[in-house]
Amino acid sequence: MQNKTKIFLLVGLIVLIAVFLVVDLVLGSVSIPSDKIIAILTGEDVKTSWNYIILNFRLPKAITAILVGAGLSVSGLMMQTLFRNPLAGPYVLGISSGASLGVALMVMASALLPGVFGAIYGFLGSWALVVSAIAGASIIFIIIGMASIRISDSVSLLIIGIMFGSITGAVVNILQYFSDPEQLQSFIVWTFGSLSGVTWNEMHLMAPVVIIGLLMSFILIKPLDALLLGENYARGVGISVNRTRIWVIISTALVAGTLTAFTGPIAFIGVAVPHMARAIFGTASHKVLLPAVVLIGAVLMLICDILSQVPGNQTTLPINSVTAIFGGPVVIWVILRSRSVKASFS
């Protein structure tokens, strides 16, 4: 594919983000004309209630969708490159499981230690689940980071991540077994994922961390390209594989851990979007793939958010279910369209 065509596709994706952003802002239980939405975004004087709905509810949700789509897609791409595994995703190292364990302890263990967790809830307030998710993800990240320093084999590191995910999943299951129905329901609702729970105050923390993680991934373009040809080749051209592995893990942990803390675990995006980008752009170069997955991921999450709102109804579907239902067939189609799974990395 020629460079002009790739640039045209990237520009087209940017246009699609703008279009679906407006559509996402239009849809909701309160009908607001698209021209009024544009007027609100440009700072014009519009009906107060409409202005409040757009700026405090719909716009943060749409921005969250863009950040989630871009962040999880880039994290998935780096994990697939690092482990040379087409099924690797942003949660393969157990980051999501760590966040889930933190939330499970905060929500469901409060019955066992009501004094301790009651005091924590009283101190943190609405930030309790976010802080607990970040703490859980950070603990797993630190353990995996220490392991990556001692272990030189990426496959072994992948296995350790999967094992940690299994262990934390088992602990969560035990907590679920002994929890009250109300506590269990609160945790299950969190696992559904939600883009609408992020306020502007939370956005001030989430957005910078995700952007920093994304910038780190662009700095790693050359090492990631070298890893496509194997770790021995990367070492041969002067790339420090261990240092690259550590920075990839840090970037992925920052992005995936932060997004999971604020929105809950969101499936499919991190695994599928890199395959879609390779199929659309016909390249394995991260110089092209990284901006491509950022844009495709953002478009896809906006579409999923639009579909989750069930146009014509006030019901909102769990975003995690929408991404899986919408994305599963896409992944299958991309894999079947390739001559082999390995073709996605060539």
Side-chain angles (χ1 to χ4, degrees), residues 51-89:
N51 189 78
Y52 185 81
I53 290 171
I54 294 298
L55 295 182
N56 291 282
F57 291 99
R58 296 186 187 178
L59 184 58
K61 181 166 65 69
I63 294 175
T64 300
I66 292 173
L67 290 175
V68 168
L72 294 183
S73 300
V74 169
S75 298
L77 174 64
M78 291 194 295
M79 288 291 98
Q80 290 176 7
T81 300
L82 177 64
F83 296 115
R84 296 183 60 80
N85 187 329
L87 296 179

PDB file of all heavy atoms in Angstrom, residues 51-89:
ATOM      1  N   ASN A  51     -27.009  22.568  27.815  1.00  0.00           N
ATOM      2  CA  ASN A  51     -25.593  22.864  28.028  1.00  0.00           C
ATOM      3  C   ASN A  51     -25.027  21.982  29.149  1.00  0.00           C
ATOM      4  O   ASN A  51     -23.931  21.427  29.023  1.00  0.00           O
ATOM      5  CB  ASN A  51     -25.439  24.339  28.387  1.00  0.00           C
ATOM      6  CG  ASN A  51     -23.991  24.773  28.405  1.00  0.00           C
ATOM      7  OD1 ASN A  51     -23.379  25.007  27.367  1.00  0.00           O
ATOM      8  ND2 ASN A  51     -23.429  24.892  29.592  1.00  0.00           N
ATOM      9  N   TYR A  52     -25.781  21.819  30.227  1.00  0.00           N
ATOM     10  CA  TYR A  52     -25.335  21.009  31.364  1.00  0.00           C
ATOM     11  C   TYR A  52     -25.232  19.538  30.978  1.00  0.00           C
ATOM     12  O   TYR A  52     -24.249  18.862  31.326  1.00  0.00           O
ATOM     13  CB  TYR A  52     -26.321  21.175  32.527  1.00  0.00           C
ATOM     14  CG  TYR A  52     -25.892  20.469  33.785  1.00  0.00           C
ATOM     15  CD1 TYR A  52     -24.955  21.039  34.639  1.00  0.00           C
ATOM     16  CD2 TYR A  52     -26.415  19.217  34.114  1.00  0.00           C
ATOM     17  CE1 TYR A  52     -24.551  20.384  35.799  1.00  0.00           C
ATOM     18  CE2 TYR A  52     -26.023  18.559  35.262  1.00  0.00           C
ATOM     19  CZ  TYR A  52     -25.096  19.148  36.108  1.00  0.00           C
ATOM     20  OH  TYR A  52     -24.691  18.491  37.237  1.00  0.00           O
ATOM     21  N   ILE A  53     -26.217  19.031  30.243  1.00  0.00           N
ATOM     22  CA  ILE A  53     -26.219  17.614  29.844  1.00  0.00           C
ATOM     23  C   ILE A  53     -25.029  17.301  28.950  1.00  0.00           C
ATOM     24  O   ILE A  53     -24.332  16.292  29.145  1.00  0.00           O
ATOM     25  CB  ILE A  53     -27.535  17.267  29.125  1.00  0.00           C
ATOM     26  CG1 ILE A  53     -28.701  17.281  30.120  1.00  0.00           C
ATOM     27  CG2 ILE A  53     -27.446  15.895  28.448  1.00  0.00           C
ATOM     28  CD1 ILE A  53     -30.057  17.154  29.474  1.00  0.00           C
ATOM     29  N   ILE A  54     -24.782  18.166  27.971  1.00  0.00           N
ATOM     30  CA  ILE A  54     -23.688  17.910  27.025  1.00  0.00           C
ATOM     31  C   ILE A  54     -22.330  18.009  27.706  1.00  0.00           C
ATOM     32  O   ILE A  54     -21.489  17.105  27.585  1.00  0.00           O
ATOM     33  CB  ILE A  54     -23.761  18.900  25.843  1.00  0.00           C
ATOM     34  CG1 ILE A  54     -25.020  18.652  25.007  1.00  0.00           C
ATOM     35  CG2 ILE A  54     -22.511  18.775  24.961  1.00  0.00           C
ATOM     36  CD1 ILE A  54     -25.075  17.284  24.372  1.00  0.00           C
ATOM     37  N   LEU A  55     -22.094  19.080  28.431  1.00  0.00           N
ATOM     38  CA  LEU A  55     -20.766  19.339  28.982  1.00  0.00           C
ATOM     39  C   LEU A  55     -20.432  18.481  30.194  1.00  0.00           C
ATOM     40  O   LEU A  55     -19.258  18.210  30.455  1.00  0.00           O
ATOM     41  CB  LEU A  55     -20.636  20.821  29.349  1.00  0.00           C
ATOM     42  CG  LEU A  55     -20.708  21.806  28.178  1.00  0.00           C
ATOM     43  CD1 LEU A  55     -20.508  23.229  28.667  1.00  0.00           C
ATOM     44  CD2 LEU A  55     -19.677  21.463  27.109  1.00  0.00           C
ATOM     45  N   ASN A  56     -21.435  18.046  30.931  1.00  0.00           N
ATOM     46  CA  ASN A  56     -21.152  17.309  32.165  1.00  0.00           C
ATOM     47  C   ASN A  56     -21.451  15.822  32.098  1.00  0.00           C
ATOM     48  O   ASN A  56     -21.048  15.081  33.003  1.00  0.00           O
ATOM     49  CB  ASN A  56     -21.940  17.926  33.326  1.00  0.00           C
ATOM     50  CG  ASN A  56     -21.441  19.301  33.696  1.00  0.00           C
ATOM     51  OD1 ASN A  56     -20.425  19.453  34.368  1.00  0.00           O
ATOM     52  ND2 ASN A  56     -22.142  20.328  33.244  1.00  0.00           N
ATOM     53  N   PHE A  57     -22.138  15.376  31.062  1.00  0.00           N
ATOM     54  CA  PHE A  57     -22.467  13.963  30.954  1.00  0.00           C
ATOM     55  C   PHE A  57     -21.997  13.356  29.627  1.00  0.00           C
ATOM     56  O   PHE A  57     -21.179  12.434  29.610  1.00  0.00           O
ATOM     57  CB  PHE A  57     -23.980  13.744  31.133  1.00  0.00           C
ATOM     58  CG  PHE A  57     -24.460  14.015  32.522  1.00  0.00           C
ATOM     59  CD1 PHE A  57     -25.053  15.223  32.846  1.00  0.00           C
ATOM     60  CD2 PHE A  57     -24.299  13.082  33.527  1.00  0.00           C
ATOM     61  CE1 PHE A  57     -25.485  15.484  34.131  1.00  0.00           C
ATOM     62  CE2 PHE A  57     -24.736  13.327  34.820  1.00  0.00           C
ATOM     63  CZ  PHE A  57     -25.326  14.534  35.118  1.00  0.00           C
ATOM     64  N   ARG A  58     -22.511  13.872  28.528  1.00  0.00           N
ATOM     65  CA  ARG A  58     -22.239  13.235  27.241  1.00  0.00           C
ATOM     66  C   ARG A  58     -20.806  13.468  26.737  1.00  0.00           C
ATOM     67  O   ARG A  58     -20.181  12.550  26.199  1.00  0.00           O
ATOM     68  CB  ARG A  58     -23.252  13.720  26.196  1.00  0.00           C
ATOM     69  CG  ARG A  58     -24.688  13.325  26.519  1.00  0.00           C
ATOM     70  CD  ARG A  58     -25.636  13.684  25.402  1.00  0.00           C
ATOM     71  NE  ARG A  58     -27.029  13.445  25.794  1.00  0.00           N
ATOM     72  CZ  ARG A  58     -28.072  13.711  25.020  1.00  0.00           C
ATOM     73  NH1 ARG A  58     -27.889  14.231  23.811  1.00  0.00           N
ATOM     74  NH2 ARG A  58     -29.303  13.466  25.452  1.00  0.00           N
ATOM     75  N   LEU A  59     -20.288  14.684  26.912  1.00  0.00           N
ATOM     76  CA  LEU A  59     -18.933  14.951  26.434  1.00  0.00           C
ATOM     77  C   LEU A  59     -17.878  14.158  27.204  1.00  0.00           C
ATOM     78  O   LEU A  59     -16.992  13.552  26.575  1.00  0.00           O
ATOM     79  CB  LEU A  59     -18.644  16.451  26.492  1.00  0.00           C
ATOM     80  CG  LEU A  59     -17.287  16.894  25.925  1.00  0.00           C
ATOM     81  CD1 LEU A  59     -17.157  16.472  24.464  1.00  0.00           C
ATOM     82  CD2 LEU A  59     -17.104  18.402  26.067  1.00  0.00           C
ATOM     83  N   PRO A  60     -17.916  14.120  28.540  1.00  0.00           N
ATOM     84  CA  PRO A  60     -16.942  13.266  29.256  1.00  0.00           C
ATOM     85  C   PRO A  60     -17.049  11.798  28.850  1.00  0.00           C
ATOM     86  O   PRO A  60     -16.029  11.113  28.735  1.00  0.00           O
ATOM     87  CB  PRO A  60     -17.316  13.462  30.731  1.00  0.00           C
ATOM     88  CG  PRO A  60     -18.018  14.761  30.786  1.00  0.00           C
ATOM     89  CD  PRO A  60     -18.751  14.888  29.488  1.00  0.00           C
ATOM     90  N   LYS A  61     -18.271  11.320  28.613  1.00  0.00           N
ATOM     91  CA  LYS A  61     -18.451   9.921  28.207  1.00  0.00           C
ATOM     92  C   LYS A  61     -17.834   9.663  26.831  1.00  0.00           C
ATOM     93  O   LYS A  61     -17.180   8.630  26.615  1.00  0.00           O
ATOM     94  CB  LYS A  61     -19.940   9.574  28.195  1.00  0.00           C
ATOM     95  CG  LYS A  61     -20.256   8.132  27.801  1.00  0.00           C
ATOM     96  CD  LYS A  61     -21.693   7.779  28.131  1.00  0.00           C
ATOM     97  CE  LYS A  61     -22.669   8.605  27.293  1.00  0.00           C
ATOM     98  NZ  LYS A  61     -22.628   8.215  25.859  1.00  0.00           N
ATOM     99  N   ALA A  62     -18.019  10.601  25.907  1.00  0.00           N
ATOM    100  CA  ALA A  62     -17.459  10.431  24.567  1.00  0.00           C
ATOM    101  C   ALA A  62     -15.929  10.491  24.595  1.00  0.00           C
ATOM    102  O   ALA A  62     -15.251   9.702  23.914  1.00  0.00           O
ATOM    103  CB  ALA A  62     -18.015  11.508  23.638  1.00  0.00           C
ATOM    104  N   ILE A  63     -15.392  11.423  25.382  1.00  0.00           N
ATOM    105  CA  ILE A  63     -13.930  11.510  25.499  1.00  0.00           C
ATOM    106  C   ILE A  63     -13.371  10.236  26.136  1.00  0.00           C
ATOM    107  O   ILE A  63     -12.323   9.725  25.732  1.00  0.00           O
ATOM    108  CB  ILE A  63     -13.536  12.753  26.319  1.00  0.00           C
ATOM    109  CG1 ILE A  63     -13.911  14.021  25.561  1.00  0.00           C
ATOM    110  CG2 ILE A  63     -12.039  12.742  26.625  1.00  0.00           C
ATOM    111  CD1 ILE A  63     -13.667  15.300  26.349  1.00  0.00           C
ATOM    112  N   THR A  64     -14.086   9.721  27.132  1.00  0.00           N
ATOM    113  CA  THR A  64     -13.672   8.463  27.765  1.00  0.00           C
ATOM    114  C   THR A  64     -13.653   7.334  26.750  1.00  0.00           C
ATOM    115  O   THR A  64     -12.728   6.507  26.736  1.00  0.00           O
ATOM    116  CB  THR A  64     -14.626   8.107  28.920  1.00  0.00           C
ATOM    117  OG1 THR A  64     -14.600   9.145  29.895  1.00  0.00           O
ATOM    118  CG2 THR A  64     -14.204   6.795  29.577  1.00  0.00           C
ATOM    119  N   ALA A  65     -14.666   7.279  25.873  1.00  0.00           N
ATOM    120  CA  ALA A  65     -14.711   6.244  24.835  1.00  0.00           C
ATOM    121  C   ALA A  65     -13.491   6.339  23.921  1.00  0.00           C
ATOM    122  O   ALA A  65     -12.884   5.319  23.562  1.00  0.00           O
ATOM    123  CB  ALA A  65     -15.997   6.389  24.014  1.00  0.00           C
ATOM    124  N   ILE A  66     -13.111   7.553  23.545  1.00  0.00           N
ATOM    125  CA  ILE A  66     -11.943   7.741  22.668  1.00  0.00           C
ATOM    126  C   ILE A  66     -10.670   7.284  23.373  1.00  0.00           C
ATOM    127  O   ILE A  66      -9.835   6.578  22.785  1.00  0.00           O
ATOM    128  CB  ILE A  66     -11.835   9.220  22.247  1.00  0.00           C
ATOM    129  CG1 ILE A  66     -13.009   9.587  21.331  1.00  0.00           C
ATOM    130  CG2 ILE A  66     -10.507   9.484  21.538  1.00  0.00           C
ATOM    131  CD1 ILE A  66     -13.085  11.063  20.986  1.00  0.00           C
ATOM    132  N   LEU A  67     -10.511   7.671  24.632  1.00  0.00           N
ATOM    133  CA  LEU A  67      -9.315   7.285  25.386  1.00  0.00           C
ATOM    134  C   LEU A  67      -9.252   5.772  25.603  1.00  0.00           C
ATOM    135  O   LEU A  67      -8.177   5.166  25.469  1.00  0.00           O
ATOM    136  CB  LEU A  67      -9.296   8.001  26.739  1.00  0.00           C
ATOM    137  CG  LEU A  67      -9.040   9.511  26.702  1.00  0.00           C
ATOM    138  CD1 LEU A  67      -9.184  10.101  28.097  1.00  0.00           C
ATOM    139  CD2 LEU A  67      -7.652   9.811  26.148  1.00  0.00           C
ATOM    140  N   VAL A  68     -10.390   5.165  25.916  1.00  0.00           N
ATOM    141  CA  VAL A  68     -10.433   3.713  26.128  1.00  0.00           C
ATOM    142  C   VAL A  68     -10.090   2.981  24.837  1.00  0.00           C
ATOM    143  O   VAL A  68      -9.271   2.050  24.827  1.00  0.00           O
ATOM    144  CB  VAL A  68     -11.818   3.280  26.642  1.00  0.00           C
ATOM    145  CG1 VAL A  68     -11.959   1.758  26.583  1.00  0.00           C
ATOM    146  CG2 VAL A  68     -12.026   3.759  28.066  1.00  0.00           C
ATOM    147  N   GLY A  69     -10.711   3.393  23.737  1.00  0.00           N
ATOM    148  CA  GLY A  69     -10.443   2.735  22.455  1.00  0.00           C
ATOM    149  C   GLY A  69      -8.996   2.852  22.042  1.00  0.00           C
ATOM    150  O   GLY A  69      -8.356   1.867  21.629  1.00  0.00           O
ATOM    151  N   ALA A  70      -8.445   4.057  22.153  1.00  0.00           N
ATOM    152  CA  ALA A  70      -7.046   4.277  21.761  1.00  0.00           C
ATOM    153  C   ALA A  70      -6.090   3.562  22.707  1.00  0.00           C
ATOM    154  O   ALA A  70      -5.155   2.875  22.266  1.00  0.00           O
ATOM    155  CB  ALA A  70      -6.748   5.775  21.734  1.00  0.00           C
ATOM    156  N   GLY A  71      -6.323   3.694  24.016  1.00  0.00           N
ATOM    157  CA  GLY A  71      -5.405   3.126  24.992  1.00  0.00           C
ATOM    158  C   GLY A  71      -5.352   1.614  24.976  1.00  0.00           C
ATOM    159  O   GLY A  71      -4.262   1.020  24.929  1.00  0.00           O
ATOM    160  N   LEU A  72      -6.506   0.969  24.989  1.00  0.00           N
ATOM    161  CA  LEU A  72      -6.529  -0.495  24.989  1.00  0.00           C
ATOM    162  C   LEU A  72      -6.006  -1.066  23.676  1.00  0.00           C
ATOM    163  O   LEU A  72      -5.366  -2.122  23.667  1.00  0.00           O
ATOM    164  CB  LEU A  72      -7.948  -0.998  25.261  1.00  0.00           C
ATOM    165  CG  LEU A  72      -8.526  -0.696  26.648  1.00  0.00           C
ATOM    166  CD1 LEU A  72      -9.901  -1.329  26.798  1.00  0.00           C
ATOM    167  CD2 LEU A  72      -7.594  -1.195  27.754  1.00  0.00           C
ATOM    168  N   SER A  73      -6.251  -0.385  22.576  1.00  0.00           N
ATOM    169  CA  SER A  73      -5.781  -0.863  21.274  1.00  0.00           C
ATOM    170  C   SER A  73      -4.261  -0.828  21.184  1.00  0.00           C
ATOM    171  O   SER A  73      -3.623  -1.784  20.724  1.00  0.00           O
ATOM    172  CB  SER A  73      -6.388  -0.016  20.150  1.00  0.00           C
ATOM    173  OG  SER A  73      -7.791  -0.096  20.160  1.00  0.00           O
ATOM    174  N   VAL A  74      -3.672   0.271  21.639  1.00  0.00           N
ATOM    175  CA  VAL A  74      -2.206   0.381  21.626  1.00  0.00           C
ATOM    176  C   VAL A  74      -1.588  -0.640  22.579  1.00  0.00           C
ATOM    177  O   VAL A  74      -0.582  -1.284  22.252  1.00  0.00           O
ATOM    178  CB  VAL A  74      -1.773   1.814  22.007  1.00  0.00           C
ATOM    179  CG1 VAL A  74      -0.277   1.870  22.252  1.00  0.00           C
ATOM    180  CG2 VAL A  74      -2.151   2.785  20.897  1.00  0.00           C
ATOM    181  N   SER A  75      -2.183  -0.797  23.744  1.00  0.00           N
ATOM    182  CA  SER A  75      -1.666  -1.778  24.704  1.00  0.00           C
ATOM    183  C   SER A  75      -1.727  -3.190  24.127  1.00  0.00           C
ATOM    184  O   SER A  75      -0.789  -3.977  24.283  1.00  0.00           O
ATOM    185  CB  SER A  75      -2.477  -1.712  26.005  1.00  0.00           C
ATOM    186  OG  SER A  75      -2.363  -0.443  26.608  1.00  0.00           O
ATOM    187  N   GLY A  76      -2.833  -3.513  23.468  1.00  0.00           N
ATOM    188  CA  GLY A  76      -2.960  -4.825  22.842  1.00  0.00           C
ATOM    189  C   GLY A  76      -1.933  -5.047  21.751  1.00  0.00           C
ATOM    190  O   GLY A  76      -1.339  -6.131  21.634  1.00  0.00           O
ATOM    191  N   LEU A  77      -1.693  -4.018  20.943  1.00  0.00           N
ATOM    192  CA  LEU A  77      -0.689  -4.127  19.875  1.00  0.00           C
ATOM    193  C   LEU A  77       0.691  -4.413  20.448  1.00  0.00           C
ATOM    194  O   LEU A  77       1.421  -5.290  19.952  1.00  0.00           O
ATOM    195  CB  LEU A  77      -0.663  -2.831  19.059  1.00  0.00           C
ATOM    196  CG  LEU A  77       0.433  -2.731  17.996  1.00  0.00           C
ATOM    197  CD1 LEU A  77       0.240  -3.789  16.908  1.00  0.00           C
ATOM    198  CD2 LEU A  77       0.464  -1.335  17.383  1.00  0.00           C
ATOM    199  N   MET A  78       1.071  -3.696  21.509  1.00  0.00           N
ATOM    200  CA  MET A  78       2.393  -3.909  22.095  1.00  0.00           C
ATOM    201  C   MET A  78       2.509  -5.284  22.734  1.00  0.00           C
ATOM    202  O   MET A  78       3.572  -5.928  22.634  1.00  0.00           O
ATOM    203  CB  MET A  78       2.681  -2.812  23.127  1.00  0.00           C
ATOM    204  CG  MET A  78       2.889  -1.438  22.527  1.00  0.00           C
ATOM    205  SD  MET A  78       3.616  -0.259  23.685  1.00  0.00           S
ATOM    206  CE  MET A  78       2.297  -0.163  24.903  1.00  0.00           C
ATOM    207  N   MET A  79       1.455  -5.770  23.363  1.00  0.00           N
ATOM    208  CA  MET A  79       1.495  -7.101  23.949  1.00  0.00           C
ATOM    209  C   MET A  79       1.620  -8.178  22.874  1.00  0.00           C
ATOM    210  O   MET A  79       2.356  -9.155  23.037  1.00  0.00           O
ATOM    211  CB  MET A  79       0.233  -7.342  24.778  1.00  0.00           C
ATOM    212  CG  MET A  79       0.150  -6.573  26.084  1.00  0.00           C
ATOM    213  SD  MET A  79       1.355  -7.110  27.342  1.00  0.00           S
ATOM    214  CE  MET A  79       2.635  -5.861  27.106  1.00  0.00           C
ATOM    215  N   GLN A  80       0.915  -8.016  21.765  1.00  0.00           N
ATOM    216  CA  GLN A  80       0.993  -8.981  20.670  1.00  0.00           C
ATOM    217  C   GLN A  80       2.389  -9.005  20.062  1.00  0.00           C
ATOM    218  O   GLN A  80       2.904 -10.064  19.690  1.00  0.00           O
ATOM    219  CB  GLN A  80      -0.054  -8.659  19.612  1.00  0.00           C
ATOM    220  CG  GLN A  80      -1.476  -8.927  20.065  1.00  0.00           C
ATOM    221  CD  GLN A  80      -2.521  -8.505  19.049  1.00  0.00           C
ATOM    222  OE1 GLN A  80      -2.201  -8.126  17.923  1.00  0.00           O
ATOM    223  NE2 GLN A  80      -3.789  -8.554  19.449  1.00  0.00           N
ATOM    224  N   THR A  81       3.020  -7.839  19.972  1.00  0.00           N
ATOM    225  CA  THR A  81       4.379  -7.770  19.438  1.00  0.00           C
ATOM    226  C   THR A  81       5.388  -8.351  20.413  1.00  0.00           C
ATOM    227  O   THR A  81       6.274  -9.120  20.021  1.00  0.00           O
ATOM    228  CB  THR A  81       4.745  -6.309  19.120  1.00  0.00           C
ATOM    229  OG1 THR A  81       3.835  -5.784  18.156  1.00  0.00           O
ATOM    230  CG2 THR A  81       6.164  -6.225  18.566  1.00  0.00           C
ATOM    231  N   LEU A  82       5.249  -7.991  21.680  1.00  0.00           N
ATOM    232  CA  LEU A  82       6.211  -8.454  22.685  1.00  0.00           C
ATOM    233  C   LEU A  82       6.193  -9.966  22.820  1.00  0.00           C
ATOM    234  O   LEU A  82       7.251 -10.607  22.869  1.00  0.00           O
ATOM    235  CB  LEU A  82       5.887  -7.806  24.043  1.00  0.00           C
ATOM    236  CG  LEU A  82       6.761  -8.234  25.222  1.00  0.00           C
ATOM    237  CD1 LEU A  82       8.211  -7.817  24.997  1.00  0.00           C
ATOM    238  CD2 LEU A  82       6.239  -7.622  26.527  1.00  0.00           C
ATOM    239  N   PHE A  83       5.004 -10.558  22.865  1.00  0.00           N
ATOM    240  CA  PHE A  83       4.884 -11.999  23.079  1.00  0.00           C
ATOM    241  C   PHE A  83       4.727 -12.779  21.779  1.00  0.00           C
ATOM    242  O   PHE A  83       4.641 -14.007  21.811  1.00  0.00           O
ATOM    243  CB  PHE A  83       3.696 -12.292  23.996  1.00  0.00           C
ATOM    244  CG  PHE A  83       3.849 -11.726  25.377  1.00  0.00           C
ATOM    245  CD1 PHE A  83       3.008 -10.740  25.840  1.00  0.00           C
ATOM    246  CD2 PHE A  83       4.860 -12.166  26.214  1.00  0.00           C
ATOM    247  CE1 PHE A  83       3.145 -10.206  27.102  1.00  0.00           C
ATOM    248  CE2 PHE A  83       5.015 -11.648  27.483  1.00  0.00           C
ATOM    249  CZ  PHE A  83       4.162 -10.665  27.933  1.00  0.00           C
ATOM    250  N   ARG A  84       4.660 -12.045  20.641  1.00  0.00           N
ATOM    251  CA  ARG A  84       4.474 -12.678  19.330  1.00  0.00           C
ATOM    252  C   ARG A  84       3.309 -13.659  19.380  1.00  0.00           C
ATOM    253  O   ARG A  84       3.380 -14.787  18.885  1.00  0.00           O
ATOM    254  CB  ARG A  84       5.760 -13.372  18.882  1.00  0.00           C
ATOM    255  CG  ARG A  84       6.916 -12.426  18.662  1.00  0.00           C
ATOM    256  CD  ARG A  84       8.163 -13.116  18.142  1.00  0.00           C
ATOM    257  NE  ARG A  84       7.923 -13.779  16.868  1.00  0.00           N
ATOM    258  CZ  ARG A  84       7.894 -13.163  15.686  1.00  0.00           C
ATOM    259  NH1 ARG A  84       8.061 -11.855  15.619  1.00  0.00           N
ATOM    260  NH2 ARG A  84       7.700 -13.841  14.586  1.00  0.00           N
ATOM    261  N   ASN A  85       2.229 -13.197  19.980  1.00  0.00           N
ATOM    262  CA  ASN A  85       1.030 -14.008  20.169  1.00  0.00           C
ATOM    263  C   ASN A  85      -0.179 -13.204  19.697  1.00  0.00           C
ATOM    264  O   ASN A  85      -0.485 -12.154  20.261  1.00  0.00           O
ATOM    265  CB  ASN A  85       0.878 -14.390  21.649  1.00  0.00           C
ATOM    266  CG  ASN A  85      -0.259 -15.364  21.889  1.00  0.00           C
ATOM    267  OD1 ASN A  85      -1.256 -15.371  21.187  1.00  0.00           O
ATOM    268  ND2 ASN A  85      -0.102 -16.195  22.903  1.00  0.00           N
ATOM    269  N   PRO A  86      -0.890 -13.671  18.659  1.00  0.00           N
ATOM    270  CA  PRO A  86      -2.017 -12.907  18.112  1.00  0.00           C
ATOM    271  C   PRO A  86      -3.200 -12.782  19.056  1.00  0.00           C
ATOM    272  O   PRO A  86      -4.082 -11.965  18.840  1.00  0.00           O
ATOM    273  CB  PRO A  86      -2.405 -13.694  16.860  1.00  0.00           C
ATOM    274  CG  PRO A  86      -1.922 -15.086  17.114  1.00  0.00           C
ATOM    275  CD  PRO A  86      -0.660 -14.930  17.909  1.00  0.00           C
ATOM    276  N   LEU A  87      -3.237 -13.607  20.111  1.00  0.00           N
ATOM    277  CA  LEU A  87      -4.347 -13.551  21.066  1.00  0.00           C
ATOM    278  C   LEU A  87      -4.003 -12.749  22.308  1.00  0.00           C
ATOM    279  O   LEU A  87      -4.832 -12.620  23.214  1.00  0.00           O
ATOM    280  CB  LEU A  87      -4.777 -14.968  21.467  1.00  0.00           C
ATOM    281  CG  LEU A  87      -5.346 -15.835  20.344  1.00  0.00           C
ATOM    282  CD1 LEU A  87      -5.713 -17.212  20.871  1.00  0.00           C
ATOM    283  CD2 LEU A  87      -6.556 -15.171  19.702  1.00  0.00           C
ATOM    284  N   ALA A  88      -2.794 -12.207  22.369  1.00  0.00           N
ATOM    285  CA  ALA A  88      -2.409 -11.401  23.521  1.00  0.00           C
ATOM    286  C   ALA A  88      -3.166 -10.077  23.500  1.00  0.00           C
ATOM    287  O   ALA A  88      -3.461  -9.526  22.450  1.00  0.00           O
ATOM    288  CB  ALA A  88      -0.905 -11.145  23.517  1.00  0.00           C
ATOM    289  N   GLY A  89      -3.492  -9.598  24.680  1.00  0.00           N
ATOM    290  CA  GLY A  89      -4.219  -8.336  24.797  1.00  0.00           C
ATOM    291  C   GLY A  89      -3.687  -7.525  25.949  1.00  0.00           C
ATOM    292  O   GLY A  89      -2.742  -7.939  26.641  1.00  0.00           O
TER     293      GLY A  89
END
